[in-house]
Amino acid sequence: MHDATWPESDVDKAMPCQKEALPARLPHVACVLLWYPLFTQPFIFREVECLAKVMPVQVYTLYGPNMKHCSQEMRHSHVSIRTHGLKAAVPALWELLRAFLRQPRQMARLFRRSVCRRWTSLEVFGENFWAFLMGVSLGRAFREDGIDIAYAPWPRGAATAAWVGATLAGIPFALAARGDNLAPADPDLDDKLAAAIFVRANNMADKKRIEAFGSGSARGKTVLAYNSLTLPQRAACPTAGRFAGSPLKLLALGRFDVTKGFDVLLDACAILKKKGINFQLTLAGAGGRALGLGGLENALRKQRHDLDLEREVSMPGLVSHDELPAIMASHDIFAAPCVIHASGRRDGIPNTVIEALACGIPVVSTNINALPEVVINGKTGLAVSQGDAQALADAIYQLAQNPAEALRMAANGMTLARNLFDPAANADRLAEVFIKADAAFRAARVKDKTCAA
């Protein structure tokens, strides 16, 4: 659960998705995803929707539609989408057979490159095998649809399919890499970074990590483009009611994943309770089968029971994106106790943090990875060390005892969020990257033909 989808009328009035005319020669971009739209990725939805208003975009999904929990706006996307899924299996197998008969050596190389790796699990192997199969079909689709660049916003299965399809279509391939994609990384990531015409990072910390990854093949071609988030109008973000009554209302939301640090937040709540603070925490989100995660949700519920916090901590489960604006407006402090897991997994900048800042909610977070880019300690919020429940509790208490100072930081955070995550500006930035990459590819192809002649 990430970027909230705010009322469409507010979004359209506040920030149209196109600001200035772009060049007449615009590349036709294929955006390859597992699903589109997906309720956990509304920031991808916003980016694609805005990008499609400034240049030709065709979405290809490797799986069938999945509208569960999607907002009304996401359900009525105007972007052209070609979905696959099980219905595409038989046609894809025929396409694979034809491709092997026409180009056996190239297809054998693609198969080894895409499938014959030491995958971490059978599930990851299965995703990449399916991605390879769909990528063969995409090769034909890219040619038929006049695609100029294949782009994968994620570096795993979607990137595998985009890379295979681009190779067969003879067009460039690009991808984005994010937070927990880099550690632990899939065994083909370094090769994908090397093959990409550009690599997109959505924060400065991850840009540095991408450029230093593996053999350093992404160095010099990694571009920074922050996420395109849907930000509310200032009028939809009242601050007058914050800290006005009792109990103190705390909010945390997101996937119940090991990188979120919600267990640390519950420990901090136990400390606040011992101090006699009257508070209520809304811990919204889910894990388990709902999001393909492990048993962390049950572990958090048990921890809440063991700490005797069942009256202070509500866990309402998944929250619709249509409900998020009202939830954001009704709480005093937002907590993001993110941690770096022992495996190396981490978030970049959780989009929920940006949404909270954009709503004028005082934020307490940890200071890991890219969070310091937005939660600047003492200026736009308070930042503490990861895994330190006492420091987290102290920071929450500090904001509660100094509401004027908390609201000052919240106002700064609102300005920062609007400056860095405006969807129109960031879509234009990404469009410029595609235009330059397309021009460079075409120039190189002309040069190669000239040299050959």
Side-chain angles (χ1 to χ4, degrees), residues 235-259:
C237 306
T239 59
R242 300 206 196 282
F243 303 103
S246 186
L248 177 71
K249 294 181 180 179
L250 310 178
L251 175 65
L253 54 90
R255 312 182 310 276
F256 286 172
D257 185 67
V258 292
T259 62

Side-chain angles (χ1 to χ4, degrees), residues 243 245-252 264-283 304 307-314 331-333 335 393 396-397 400-401:
F243 303 103
S246 186
L248 177 71
K249 294 181 180 179
L250 310 178
L251 175 65
V264 182
L265 178 58
L266 290 178
D267 287 338
C269 286
I271 294 171
L272 291 174
K273 184 174 181 178
K274 289 180 180 178
K275 290 174 69 76
I277 307 300
N278 184 16
F279 70 93
Q280 287 287 326
L281 167 65
T282 302
L283 180 54
R304 179 182 63 165
L307 293 174
D308 191 25
L309 291 172
E310 289 176 309
R311 285 177 295 181
E312 289 81 10
V313 178
S314 65
H331 286 79
D332 302 315
I333 296 173
I396 293 171
Y397 182 76
Q401 294 300 304

Side-chain angles (χ1 to χ4, degrees), residues 364-383:
V364 174
S365 80
T366 52
N367 55 11
I368 64 165
N369 209 38
L371 276 166
E373 294 175 39
V374 292
V375 184
I376 304 169
N377 190 40
K379 184 174 181 180
T380 62
L382 294 181

Side-chain angles (χ1 to χ4, degrees), residues 142-427:
F142 290 166
R143 293 190 296 269
E144 292 175 348
D145 295 343
I147 298 299
D148 296 303
I149 298 179
Y151 172 64
W154 301 97
R156 290 180 169 155
T160 298
W163 190 14
V164 171
T167 302
L168 293 174
I171 61 174
F173 150 76
L175 77 158
R178 305 163 186 269
D180 62 358
N181 306 143
L182 301 173
D186 284 346
D188 61 351
L189 180 57
D190 197 31
D191 289 339
K192 286 175 177 174
L193 297 179
I197 194 169
F198 72 83
V199 182
R200 183 268 184 93
N202 66 358
N203 61 72
M204 183 57 70
D206 281 346
K207 181 176 184 293
K208 294 177 180 177
R209 293 177 65 212
I210 292 167
E211 291 177 331
F213 182 84
S215 63
S217 55
R219 192 174 297 116
K221 62 178 179 180
T222 302
V223 297
L224 173 63
Y226 284 98
N227 282 347
S228 295
L229 300 187
T230 308
L231 306 179
Q233 287 186 298
R234 290 181 182 272
C237 306
T239 59
R242 300 206 196 282
F243 303 103
S246 186
L248 177 71
K249 294 181 180 179
L250 310 178
L251 175 65
L253 54 90
R255 312 182 310 276
F256 286 172
D257 185 67
V258 292
T259 62
K260 298 300 182 181
F262 290 145
D263 56 332
V264 182
L265 178 58
L266 290 178
D267 287 338
C269 286
I271 294 171
L272 291 174
K273 184 174 181 178
K274 289 180 180 178
K275 290 174 69 76
I277 307 300
N278 184 16
F279 70 93
Q280 287 287 326
L281 167 65
T282 302
L283 180 54
R289 286 181 294 178
L291 293 179
L293 302 172
L296 188 55
E297 181 172 359
N298 291 334
L300 290 173
R301 292 185 181 276
K302 181 179 184 302
Q303 183 182 4
R304 179 182 63 165
H305 171 77
D306 293 345
L307 293 174
D308 191 25
L309 291 172
E310 289 176 309
R311 285 177 295 181
E312 289 81 10
V313 178
S314 65
M315 298 175 67
L318 290 171
V319 174
S320 163
H321 294 291
D322 293 328
E323 299 176 86
L324 283 184
I327 290 175
M328 291 281 190
S330 63
H331 286 79
D332 302 315
I333 296 173
F334 185 89
C338 302
V339 298
I340 299 175
H341 187 252
S343 66
R345 286 182 56 200
R346 71 197 74 185
D347 277 327
I349 305 174
N351 289 309
T352 52
V353 173
I354 310 305
E355 292 155 6
L357 290 170
C359 281
I361 304 177
V363 172
V364 174
S365 80
T366 52
N367 55 11
I368 64 165
N369 209 38
L371 276 166
E373 294 175 39
V374 292
V375 184
I376 304 169
N377 190 40
K379 184 174 181 180
T380 62
L382 294 181
V384 301
S385 298
Q386 64 168 320
D388 191 336
Q390 183 64 59
L392 185 64
D394 290 344
I396 293 171
Y397 182 76
Q398 180 181 336
L399 292 181
Q401 294 300 304
N402 300 278
E405 181 69 6
L407 294 176
R408 177 192 67 80
M409 288 187 279
N412 291 339
M414 182 184 291
T415 300
L416 180 144
R418 292 172 185 280
N419 288 340
L420 282 187
F421 299 93
D422 178 276
N426 291 345

Side-chain angles (χ1 to χ4, degrees), residues 17-26 53-55 424 428 431-432 435:
C17 287
Q18 184 172 0
K19 292 183 175 181
E20 299 176 359
L22 291 167
R25 173 62 181 90
L26 294 172
K53 292 185 179 182
V54 297
M55 66 193 311
D428 282 352
E432 290 171 0
I435 291 167

